[in-house]
Amino acid sequence: MLLLRKAVFPGIQQACRLKSTPSRLCIRVCSTNDSFQPQHRIPAFSGDNSSTRGWRVMGTLLGLGAVLAYHDYQCKAAQEPPRIYTREEVKSHSSPETGIWVTLGSEVFDVTEFVDLHPGGPSKLMLAAGGPLEPFWALYAVHDQPHVREVLAQYKIGELSPEDKAPSTSKTSDPYADDPIRHPALKVNSQRPFNAEPPPELLTENYITPNPIFFTRNHLPVPNLDPDTYRLHVVGPPGCQSLYLSLDDLYRFPKHEITVTLQCAGNRRSEMTRLKEVRGLEWNTGAISTARWAGARLCDVLAQAGHQLSETEAHVCFEGLDSDPTGTAYGASIPLARALDPEAEVLLAYEMNGQPLPRDHGFPVRVVVPGVVGARHVKWLGKVSVEPEESYSHWQRRDYKGFSPSVDWDTVDFDSAPSIQELPVQSAITQPKDGETIESREVTIKGYAWSGGGRAVVRVDVSLDGGLTWQVAELDGEEQRPRKAWAWRLWQLQAPVPAGKKELNIICKAVDDSYNVQPDTVAPIWNLRGVLSNAWHRIHVRVAP
């Protein structure tokens, strides 16, 4: 019997670990209450089936004994003081080689054995490796439920040291010291100023990008503005007074809501860098996100200030309240004709996904220019004016322009090229990841597609063999209005893996309603700033044997 118990007990212990809750069962198993007694009599060995019945009884006894012994062990363990760990110790356990630890509140968990069992896939859980779970549970509230906490409780190994405080956020002379706290899932391209993108496996999880993982593009320190004293200066035309609008004043304009995708001009710049060095942040495929924006239409505000269409060329210039140590603020501009067109739906936005703008995304007011490069969506908006020429800001005149591959930094003439406004058609693969190993039967490919200027994406083509043959992906997301396709389309393709293939070269390309299509390679569109990178997106995956 002892031998049988030794053989069976480990399996029962593992089963109990996955299917029971020590905290609940300890209350009953450790209790001295006599009412916790078996409710069924044990049958006697009699009749023709006595041998079978005997083995059933023995199995029952073994099972009950094993469970009781296991939970007796658990109860004793619960009475022992917990192991204490520092945040640095937890941080050092962030890979399968070191073990994968996470924290929730003050508790520490070793989830190494659970990673492959995670319902959302190992890659999602690995985003939190070595750090806290709270930022990810805030994104996906389905986790914060009793049964999930019960599963997590099985993996507790200790607690955080109460003396190990979170990093201080006290103010210093550092202009970036007052920047907001960011979500740990973001892949940081620069800390000062802060620029980061969501990982591809999260980017297309939702049609609307959650605020905490919306890509962040800052050029300067993030200002901390008081909404009660905020005023937006709208310069009036000659002979008219300027407006100084509070948030309450903006709320009195008709509220307009639209779903808009923002994309940085440098999205996918890293692919140009692999061909030849460029200057700029190494964005991968995540410098793009989509939100539901709400605010006052710019055309309504300009009309109240007395502005109207001009017979001559004119531009609406925006100036932010973010500035460098010399006082130089970020600025940009768009043509007046776009700003005054109600159909262009340009917003002075004060809400993002139903909430006040986060600080990283322009609180309290930013510009949202549908269909136009993100560089013109000026954040922390402080001033709006109508001028005969475009903004004299560095970022309008000396940046965010495209050039021939033959132009280098010795020959570039920024005055010879127009500022980027509408962006070309774009698409990228977000699942599977480049270099991943996939199953040999079927592969699911996911991604996004978008085109500037309100042009709708009408098709996404996907190839599994490097472009020799193509299949059409299924488009998801909101139906797009003609000439007002401001937001991306998410897409996916489920396809059988060709028999005998050990690897796949997967490609995607999008087509918009003007039949613009992405170029097949990077070389013809390479430029010294690495902007407008929209060649076919390619990944290479291995096929499991």
Side-chain angles (χ1 to χ4, degrees):
M1 182 114 173
L2 182 59
L3 291 173
L4 281 171
R5 181 186 172 188
K6 287 182 177 178
V8 173
F9 184 71
I12 296 176
Q13 185 179 32
Q14 179 65 20
C16 291
R17 185 182 188 190
L18 294 174
K19 297 183 179 179
S20 61
T21 308
S23 58
R24 288 184 177 178
L25 288 174
C26 280
I27 295 172
R28 301 183 68 186
V29 176
C30 299
S31 174
T32 57
N33 189 341
D34 292 337
S35 65
F36 182 54
Q37 300 291 342
Q39 300 298 311
H40 302 285
R41 295 176 58 196
I42 298 173
F45 296 160
S46 63
D48 295 337
N49 296 321
S50 61
S51 177
T52 302
R53 291 179 182 175
W55 279 109
R56 287 178 180 171
V57 170
M58 185 176 291
T60 301
L61 289 171
L62 283 172
L64 179 60
V67 170
L68 292 173
Y70 173 61
H71 287 291
D72 180 57
Y73 163 79
Q74 291 283 64
C75 291
K76 290 178 181 178
Q79 295 170 7
E80 296 177 359
R83 287 282 304 273
I84 302 299
Y85 300 98
T86 65
R87 295 179 191 276
E88 280 300 314
E89 285 180 288
V90 174
K91 187 177 180 180
S92 68
H93 290 78
S94 59
S95 69
E97 292 74 27
T98 61
I100 299 160
W101 293 9
V102 295
T103 65
L104 185 66
S106 62
E107 297 179 302
V108 180
F109 306 89
D110 180 352
V111 295
T112 309
E113 296 178 3
F114 181 71
V115 169
D116 288 334
L117 304 176
H118 185 245
S123 62
K124 302 285 197 313
L125 183 53
M126 286 299 294
L127 293 171
L133 287 171
E134 284 90 342
F136 301 91
W137 283 23
L139 277 180
Y140 302 104
V142 68
H143 289 85
D144 195 9
Q145 301 200 33
H147 72 276
V148 178
R149 288 180 175 270
E150 289 177 5
V151 172
L152 183 61
Q154 319 295 328
Y155 299 94
K156 181 175 176 179
I157 58 172
E159 295 185 356
L160 285 171
S161 170
E163 299 175 358
D164 189 8
K165 305 295 183 183
S168 172
T169 57
S170 59
K171 291 186 178 181
T172 68
S173 58
D174 180 358
Y176 294 97
D178 197 34
D179 269 17
I181 296 173
R182 279 82 180 210
H183 198 282
L186 291 171
K187 302 300 182 184
V188 179
N189 286 319
S190 74
Q191 283 284 2
R192 301 171 181 230
F194 186 81
N195 292 281
E197 60 189 296
E201 57 266 36
L202 293 184
L203 181 60
T204 53
E205 279 281 295
N206 301 283
Y207 180 70
I208 298 295
T209 311
N211 289 355
I213 60 168
F214 199 99
F215 92 94
T216 300
R217 177 66 174 109
N218 294 335
H219 296 82
L220 300 162
V222 176
N224 197 353
L225 304 174
D226 183 350
D228 295 328
T229 60
Y230 171 80
R231 296 294 183 272
L232 173 62
H233 181 197
V234 182
V235 179
C240 295
Q241 290 188 336
S242 294
L243 303 179
Y244 292 88
L245 302 175
S246 67
L247 274 177
D248 285 338
D249 293 330
L250 285 172
Y251 295 156
R252 293 188 184 99
F253 285 90
K255 185 178 182 179
H256 193 68
E257 295 188 47
I258 46 174
T259 303
V260 176
T261 293
L262 269 63
Q263 181 181 218
C264 179
N267 192 31
R268 298 179 57 196
R269 177 181 283 129
S270 60
E271 295 166 49
M272 287 194 173
T273 301
R274 289 197 289 269
L275 180 69
K276 184 181 176 182
E277 184 180 359
V278 300
R279 292 186 187 176
L281 296 169
E282 285 292 288
W283 295 109
N284 290 305
T285 57
I288 183 172
S289 298
T290 299
R292 183 77 177 167
W293 308 93
R297 294 191 305 179
L298 178 59
C299 62
D300 294 338
V301 174
L302 289 176
Q304 181 158 317
H307 290 288
Q308 55 188 349
L309 278 175
S310 171
E311 293 183 359
T312 58
E313 183 181 8
H315 302 262
V316 178
C317 298
F318 307 114
E319 188 174 297
L321 293 171
D322 51 334
S323 61
D324 65 16
T326 70
T328 301
Y330 183 85
S333 61
I334 61 173
L336 176 64
R338 183 185 291 272
L340 286 177
D341 183 1
E343 296 298 303
E345 301 186 280
V346 181
L347 288 188
L348 302 182
Y350 46 75
E351 285 183 7
M352 178 180 181
N353 294 332
Q355 300 176 350
L357 294 174
R359 281 184 61 204
D360 257 332
H361 299 290
F363 179 82
V365 177
R366 74 173 298 164
V367 184
V368 173
V369 192
V372 168
V373 65
R376 313 302 169 215
H377 298 233
V378 175
K379 300 188 281 188
W380 313 289
L381 187 63
K383 181 180 178 181
V384 178
S385 62
V386 177
E387 309 292 348
E389 296 187 32
E390 66 178 3
S391 171
Y392 279 91
S393 164
H394 164 85
W395 293 280
Q396 186 81 24
R397 299 277 183 135
R398 292 292 180 268
D399 203 349
Y400 298 119
K401 295 184 176 185
F403 296 95
S404 166
S406 63
V407 174
D408 59 26
W409 288 101
D410 293 325
T411 60
V412 64
D413 177 8
F414 277 96
D415 291 330
S416 68
S419 301
I420 298 171
Q421 293 284 342
E422 297 178 1
L423 287 169
V425 63
Q426 174 72 281
S427 72
I429 299 163
T430 59
Q431 179 186 322
K433 293 193 294 185
D434 188 42
E436 188 174 326
T437 298
I438 63 170
E439 295 298 321
S440 58
R441 285 185 247 173
E442 187 176 68
V443 60
T444 298
I445 306 163
K446 296 182 179 181
Y448 64 78
W450 181 77
S451 192
R455 293 178 290 275
V457 170
V458 296
R459 195 178 79 237
V460 173
D461 299 323
V462 180
S463 174
L464 304 185
D465 53 16
L468 296 177
T469 61
W470 298 88
Q471 303 178 58
V472 178
E474 178 183 349
L475 299 179
D476 300 322
E478 293 180 2
E479 288 298 319
Q480 299 183 325
R481 298 169 293 168
R483 299 175 302 283
K484 288 187 176 183
W486 307 133
W488 63 12
R489 298 299 297 267
L490 302 185
W491 56 265
Q492 64 175 324
L493 174 72
Q494 287 184 309
V497 174
K501 288 289 185 181
K502 296 182 178 180
E503 56 186 32
L504 299 178
N505 292 308
I506 305 176
I507 300 175
C508 73
K509 61 181 176 75
V511 183
D512 69 21
D513 61 10
S514 293
Y515 288 97
N516 298 308
V517 65
Q518 295 170 253
D520 60 344
T521 60
V522 172
I525 59 172
W526 183 93
N527 59 88
L528 76 174
R529 276 291 281 120
V531 294
L532 307 170
S533 181
N534 72 324
W536 294 356
H537 189 224
R538 304 164 185 265
I539 66 167
H540 177 266
V541 299
R542 294 179 293 274
V543 180

